[in-house]
């Protein structure tokens, strides 16, 4: 976290995650420019390896908080992946000792698919993170 001169707010780096069973999309942004950018897709299958890769990203980027997309059915009902994403967020909280914020992602993948991107996970993570920035404008 960089500290600006007196009276200015701190600039925080933020990582966003689009959790999936096969892949986890990761995006990065900061609270100054408030623009999310796709970063990487984690494709490891073993949980320990996934969290080792996430730990390496946290060590490299020093985020102040983590954002996790929370999927719902279009009508707002929860489903199996909603519960899995909550579990992932809880694991991040326990393993990374950083604040984890859940963001409704019910339309992020649909937006990307509409734009016809083939690999959507990191881009979906950037939409989730951008939604967080837009919802928390100062």
């Amino acid at each position: 976290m960089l500290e600006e001169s007196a009276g200015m707010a701190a600039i925080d780096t933020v990582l966003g995650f689009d959790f999936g069973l096969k892949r986890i999309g990761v995006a990065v942004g900061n609270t100054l420019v408030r623009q999310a950018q796709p970063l990487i897709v984690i494709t490891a299958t073993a949980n320990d390896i996934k969290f080792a890769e996430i730990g390496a990203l946290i060590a490299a980027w020093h985020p102040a908080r983590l954002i996790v997309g929370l999927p719902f059915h279009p009508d707002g009902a929860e489903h199996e992946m909603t519960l899995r994403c909550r579990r992932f967020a809880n694991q991040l909280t326990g393993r990374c000792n950083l604040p984890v914020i859940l963001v409704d992602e019910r339309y992020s993948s649909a937006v990307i698919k509409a734009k016809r991107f083939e690999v959507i996970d990191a881009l979906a993570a950037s939409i989730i993170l951008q939604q967080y920035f837009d919802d928390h404008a100062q």
Side-chain angles (χ1 to χ4, degrees):
M1 179 165 61
L2 301 173
E3 192 68 39
E4 294 294 315
S5 60
M8 299 290 290
I11 301 169
D12 293 331
T13 298
V14 183
L15 291 179
F17 296 89
D18 180 40
F19 175 79
L21 298 178
K22 295 182 180 179
R23 294 177 304 278
I24 301 171
V26 185
V28 65
N30 68 55
T31 56
L32 176 64
V33 295
R34 307 184 66 78
Q35 293 292 311
Q37 298 295 319
L39 182 61
I40 192 170
V41 176
I42 297 171
T43 58
T45 56
N47 217 27
D48 288 343
I49 297 172
K50 287 178 190 177
F51 281 100
E53 290 186 35
I54 291 168
L57 290 171
I58 288 170
W61 289 93
H62 305 286
R65 69 191 67 83
L66 308 174
I67 309 304
V68 175
L70 191 61
F72 294 96
H73 287 294
D75 66 359
E78 294 191 5
H79 51 77
E80 180 184 347
M81 281 307 292
T82 311
L83 300 175
R84 290 179 182 260
C85 287
R86 287 187 196 280
R87 182 170 182 238
F88 173 70
N90 287 338
Q91 290 175 321
L92 281 176
T93 299
R95 290 177 182 240
C96 302
N97 197 29
L98 289 167
V100 176
I101 299 166
L102 297 168
V103 172
D104 182 344
E105 70 152 47
R106 79 182 83 170
Y107 299 111
S108 64
S109 293
V111 168
I112 298 303
K113 288 177 185 174
K115 293 183 179 182
R116 301 182 193 278
F117 289 97
E118 292 178 6
V119 178
I120 66 169
D121 300 294
L123 206 45
S126 72
I127 288 176
I128 292 162
L129 183 53
Q130 189 62 54
Q131 182 175 331
Y132 167 79
F133 284 141
D134 293 347
D135 290 348
H136 294 85
Q138 295 177 8

